[in-house]
């Protein structure tokens, strides 16, 4: 113990539950996880390549190459440039051909950013709607039993209707523009948000409400000045989780009926058997989700320092 | 008369039928009095306090404070709870001044004495309870004793007509508890606070109070009333004085006789003998 190695000695410690891990080891763990993931990917793609079906499941390197092609620096772009230059009769013609190829690469990057933009917009609108409607409803359900008795059973019921089953109805009602996609994401997240918000509000200790009353607080003040601020970190965390679901429902909506957006493009690439680009899109989706999640975590830590649990 | 409790009774519904927690109980607390309710757990003493606060309803009887019938909680009766009840998102200072955020206290800038505003009074209280260096700290950074000091300052800052305390030092370690008792005694005397105090700690009750009401176990009723003879400048040492100890003896005897004990020396010894454990 006094040698600073903790209760069980350095190596054995990992075998005991809840033993803390230092920062370098944690980072090493994360790195190892990603390496294992890429190794498994490599093995799997090798398996397909052996059967001559490399196109069905591209290797990490091929996907990396495809990603570089989006930036106009990938192997395929260079190959095309080289071929075009060889075919060209004059240097001027060769330059023109190269320019065209590079222009094409830039165009596909523009398509990607356009898809990301429209998808992000859909998620954002639906997410804001869900927050504006879900958080107050959750607060009321968590605060007032009579409100809970009216709304809780019916929201529970709707929550168990599988959201994708609503797509045909949404298309009938809202057409195929933005509205049905936003509605699908909204319905998919708002009910979860109501449920989680009300749970957080219910968890606020009765003692705190009673303190407010004995200091002269009115019922409305108990809700707005005690229950809401006390539940806020939990509500913020619920929003973070809802963001994850929002992106899931977005793709579902775009797979069915859309003419731009991340989900739409993935289906399109499927038709062309362009699995490399599908992988690029998947990676972009993962990175966007991770970034937003990280932002939520940082904001949570910044705004709600008082609620941070001490790491042990 | 300050606080008048008349025939307050309370029973709870349980699966085994109604459980009477409190038989009709009557007592009063005069201005400046420090009255403690002692008794075994489940004797209804906390229920009594919550009814006085207006946080629970009684089955019968009335609570009157300075002639006004109590119908619900308000700022006339401040309360200090057993658990730590600070708003975790507010600093020490913000917690003590929490009442200033409420509509009921819109008159806070009005002086309570010739030169003292509520703001300034709250600041003074933070000093008095020894937390001036911790004004900007969050509750999570405080020890249990400090948290309760904030809770006491918060309740007093509201200038309540009576302060209700529900086992406020029950969760503290023995040493901190004694410090808090001394603080509470001096504070209540200096500020002439009327206090109704609930505890199961007989020593605590005798040390702090001007009067002690002893409750029997469920259903609760008052079985003894003790006027405490010690002056207001008593120190912690008084706990070792013969008079103090004989009072303690008297209360403990009453608590034992009033039942509610499921474990006693004889029963334990009998069971140990019967089980005939051959360990070692």
């Amino acid at each position: 113990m006094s040698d600073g190695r903790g209760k069980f000695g350095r190596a054995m410690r990992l075998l005991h539950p809840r033993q803390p891990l230092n920062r370098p080891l944690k980072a090493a763990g994360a790195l190892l996880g990603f390496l294992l993931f890429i190794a498994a990917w490599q093995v799997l793609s090798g398996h397909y390549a052996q059967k001559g079906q490399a196109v069905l499941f591209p290797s990490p390197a091929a996907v990396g190459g495809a990603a570089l092609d989006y930036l106009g620096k990938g192997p395929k772009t260079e190959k095309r440039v080289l071929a075009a230059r060889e075919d060209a009769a004059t240097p001027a013609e060769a330059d023109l051909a190269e320019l065209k190829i590079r222009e094409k690469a830039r165009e596909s990057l523009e398509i990607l950013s356009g898809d990301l933009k429209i998808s992000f917009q859909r998620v954002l609108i639906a997410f804001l709607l869900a927050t504006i409607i879900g958080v107050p409803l959750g607060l009321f359900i968590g605060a007032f039993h009579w409100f809970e008795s009216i709304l809780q059973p019916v929201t529970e019921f709707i929550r168990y209707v599988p959201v994708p089953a609503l797509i045909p109805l949404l298309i009938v009602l809202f057409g195929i523009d933005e509205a049905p996609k936003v509605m699908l994401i909204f319905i998919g997240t708002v009910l979860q948000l109501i449920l989680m918000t009300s749970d957080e509000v219910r968890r606020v200790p009765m003692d705190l409400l009673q303190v407010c009353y004995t200091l002269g607080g009115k019922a409305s003040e108990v809700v707005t000045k005690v229950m809401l601020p006390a539940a806020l970190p939990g509500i913020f965390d619920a929003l973070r989780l809802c963001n994850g679901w929002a992106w899931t429902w977005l793709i579902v909506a775009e797979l069915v009926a859309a003419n731009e957006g991340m989900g739409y493009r993935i289906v399109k690439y499927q038709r062309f058997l362009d699995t490399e680009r599908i992988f690029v899109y998947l990676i972009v989706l993962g990175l966007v989700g991770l970034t937003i999640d990280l932002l939520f975590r940082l904001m949570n830590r910044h705004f709600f320092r008082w609620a941070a649990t001490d790491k042990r | 008369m300050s606080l008048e409790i008349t025939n307050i009774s309370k029973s709870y519904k349980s699966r085994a039928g109604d459980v009477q927690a409190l038989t009709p109980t009557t007592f009063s607390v005069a201005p400046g009095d420090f009255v403690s309710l002692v008794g075994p757990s489940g004797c209804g003493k906390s229920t009594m306090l919550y009814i006085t606060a207006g946080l629970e309803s009684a089955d019968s009887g009335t609570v009157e404070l300075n002639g006004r019938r109590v119908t619900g909680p308000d700022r006339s009766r401040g309360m200090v709870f057993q658990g730590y009840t600070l708003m975790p998102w507010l600093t020490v200072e913000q917690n003590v001044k929490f009442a200033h955020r409420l509509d009921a206290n819109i008159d806070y800038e009005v002086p309570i004495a010739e030169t003292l505003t509520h703001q300034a009074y709250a600041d003074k209280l933070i000093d008095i309870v020894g937390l001036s260096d911790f004004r900007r700290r969050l509750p999570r950074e405080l020890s249990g004793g400090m948290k309760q000091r904030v809770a006491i300052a918060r309740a007093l800052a509201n200038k309540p007509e009576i302060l209700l305390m529900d086992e406020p030092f029950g969760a503290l370690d023995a040493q901190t508890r004694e410090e808090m008792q001394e603080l509470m005694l001096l504070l209540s005397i200096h500020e002439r606070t009327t206090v109704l105090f609930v505890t199961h700690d007989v020593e605590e009750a005798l040390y702090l109070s001007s009067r002690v009401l002893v409750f029997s176990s469920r259903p609760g009723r008052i079985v003894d009333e003790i006027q405490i003879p010690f002056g207001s400048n008593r120190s912690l040492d008084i706990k070792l004085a013969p008079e103090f100890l004989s009072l303690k003896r008297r209360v403990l005897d009453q608590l034992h006789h009033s039942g509610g004990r499921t474990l006693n020396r004889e029963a334990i010894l009998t069971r140990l003998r019967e089980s005939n454990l051959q360990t070692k």
Side-chain angles (χ1 to χ4, degrees), chain A residues 72-95:
Chain A
K73 293 170 191 157
K76 273 191 187 154
T77 315
E78 298 309 324
K79 219 155 89 186
R80 268 191 220 120
V81 167
L82 226 61
R85 280 193 167 281
E86 273 172 18
D87 288 350
T90 63
E93 222 173 276
D95 285 347

Side-chain angles (χ1 to χ4, degrees), chain B residues 8-12 47 50-52 54-60 71:
Chain B
I8 288 288
S9 74
K10 177 88 178 176
S11 52
Y12 294 101
T47 306
Y50 274 76
I51 290 171
T52 308
L55 293 169
E56 263 186 54
S57 61
D59 294 345
S60 73
T71 52

Side-chain angles (χ1 to χ4, degrees), chain B residues 220-239:
Chain B
R221 68 196 164 82
I222 297 173
V223 290
D224 195 10
E225 178 177 344
I226 301 169
Q227 203 71 42
I228 306 295
F230 315 121
S232 58
N233 60 348
R234 56 188 95 158
S235 75
L236 279 166
D237 289 339
I238 205 166
K239 289 185 176 181

Side-chain angles (χ1 to χ4, degrees), chain A residues 121-188:
Chain A
Q121 192 181 311
R122 285 165 184 159
V123 166
L124 189 70
I125 293 171
F127 184 78
L128 287 178
L129 268 177
T131 307
I132 292 167
I133 292 172
V135 171
L137 278 180
L139 178 64
F140 265 70
I141 289 176
F144 297 102
H145 282 304
W146 64 269
F147 206 78
E148 178 184 354
S149 75
I150 295 170
L151 276 191
Q152 184 93 341
V154 74
T155 52
E156 288 286 299
F157 166 73
I158 301 171
R159 211 162 59 85
Y160 276 100
V161 175
V163 178
L166 296 173
I167 293 176
L169 195 61
L170 290 176
I171 290 176
V172 169
L173 289 175
F174 298 105
I176 50 167
D177 291 339
E178 292 305 293
K181 298 166 191 73
V182 170
M183 279 307 287
L184 187 83
I185 303 170
F186 170 74
I187 295 170

Side-chain angles (χ1 to χ4, degrees), chain A residues 204 207-218 220-222 225-231 305-310, chain B residues 50 53 55 73-75 77-79 81 83 85-89 98-99 101-105 138 140 154-155 158:
Chain A
V204 177
D207 280 357
L208 294 189
L209 316 192
Q210 292 179 330
V211 164
C212 185
Y213 278 125
T214 58
L215 289 172
K218 295 181 298 196
S220 62
E221 288 174 316
V222 169
K225 292 175 181 173
V226 179
M227 295 177 106
L228 182 62
R305 208 167 52 84
W306 59 268
T309 44
D310 293 300
Chain B
Y50 274 76
L55 293 169
D74 66 49
R75 57 182 284 200
R77 283 146 294 135
M79 186 137 167
F81 295 81
T85 53
L86 303 187
M87 308 298 168
W89 61 95
F98 183 80
R101 294 163 188 254
L102 304 171
D103 291 348
N105 305 301
L138 288 168
R140 61 190 291 247
R154 175 177 64 187
N158 220 19

Side-chain angles (χ1 to χ4, degrees), chain B residues 1-249:
Chain B
M1 277 302 167
S2 183
L3 180 74
E4 292 278 1
I5 309 274
T6 316
N7 283 322
I8 288 288
S9 74
K10 177 88 178 176
S11 52
Y12 294 101
K13 290 201 192 312
S14 81
R15 225 174 280 175
D18 283 9
V19 178
Q20 181 143 48
L22 209 56
T23 57
T25 301
T26 300
F27 66 89
S28 62
V29 181
D33 254 6
F34 196 123
V35 175
S36 287
L37 313 180
V38 284
S41 48
C43 73
K45 56 191 192 298
S46 283
T47 306
M48 186 75 248
L49 200 74
Y50 274 76
I51 290 171
T52 308
L55 293 169
E56 263 186 54
S57 61
D59 294 345
S60 73
T62 58
V63 177
E64 276 185 20
L65 182 63
N66 295 325
R68 285 171 288 113
R69 176 95 179 257
V70 165
T71 52
D74 66 49
R75 57 182 284 200
S76 67
R77 283 146 294 135
M79 186 137 167
V80 178
F81 295 81
Q82 182 175 10
Y84 304 129
T85 53
L86 303 187
M87 308 298 168
W89 61 95
L90 300 177
T91 62
V92 166
E93 183 173 352
Q94 289 168 329
N95 263 291
V96 172
K97 295 179 180 173
F98 183 80
H100 300 207
R101 294 163 188 254
L102 304 171
D103 291 348
N105 305 301
I106 223 127
D107 56 345
Y108 260 120
E109 286 304 318
V110 178
I112 50 174
E114 271 172 45
T115 55
L116 196 61
T117 62
H118 274 90
Q119 283 279 355
Y121 183 56
D123 287 328
K124 276 206 164 64
L125 280 168
I126 296 172
D127 281 346
I128 290 169
V129 299
L131 289 173
S132 39
D133 291 342
F134 294 86
R135 280 169 184 276
R136 311 221 181 289
R137 296 291 182 89
L138 288 168
R140 61 190 291 247
E141 301 169 297
L142 305 181
S143 68
M146 288 162 116
K147 284 182 204 171
Q148 286 308 65
R149 269 140 70 189
V150 178
I152 290 168
R154 175 177 64 187
L156 287 176
N158 220 19
K159 274 280 172 193
E161 292 164 41
I162 185 168
L163 183 63
L164 310 173
M165 304 183 85
D166 182 27
E167 306 217 19
F169 313 137
L172 305 177
D173 63 86
Q175 207 177 338
T176 311
R177 188 187 300 203
E178 291 217 314
E179 286 171 19
M180 295 293 287
Q181 289 168 0
E182 194 153 47
L183 171 72
M184 198 55 232
L185 181 74
L186 296 174
L187 200 54
S188 66
I189 288 165
H190 189 264
E191 295 297 297
R192 292 195 197 82
T193 320
T194 312
V195 185
L196 184 58
F197 192 95
V198 162
T199 180
H200 60 253
D201 183 338
V202 176
E203 220 172 66
E204 182 169 275
L206 293 174
Y207 171 68
L208 285 172
S209 311
S210 52
R211 200 150 53 93
V212 173
L213 302 174
V214 185
F215 275 64
S216 69
S217 64
R218 188 176 293 157
R221 68 196 164 82
I222 297 173
V223 290
D224 195 10
E225 178 177 344
I226 301 169
Q227 203 71 42
I228 306 295
F230 315 121
S232 58
N233 60 348
R234 56 188 95 158
S235 75
L236 279 166
D237 289 339
I238 205 166
K239 289 185 176 181
L240 300 170
E243 277 173 290
F244 190 95
L245 292 173
S246 73
L247 279 178
K248 187 177 170 184
R249 172 94 271 159

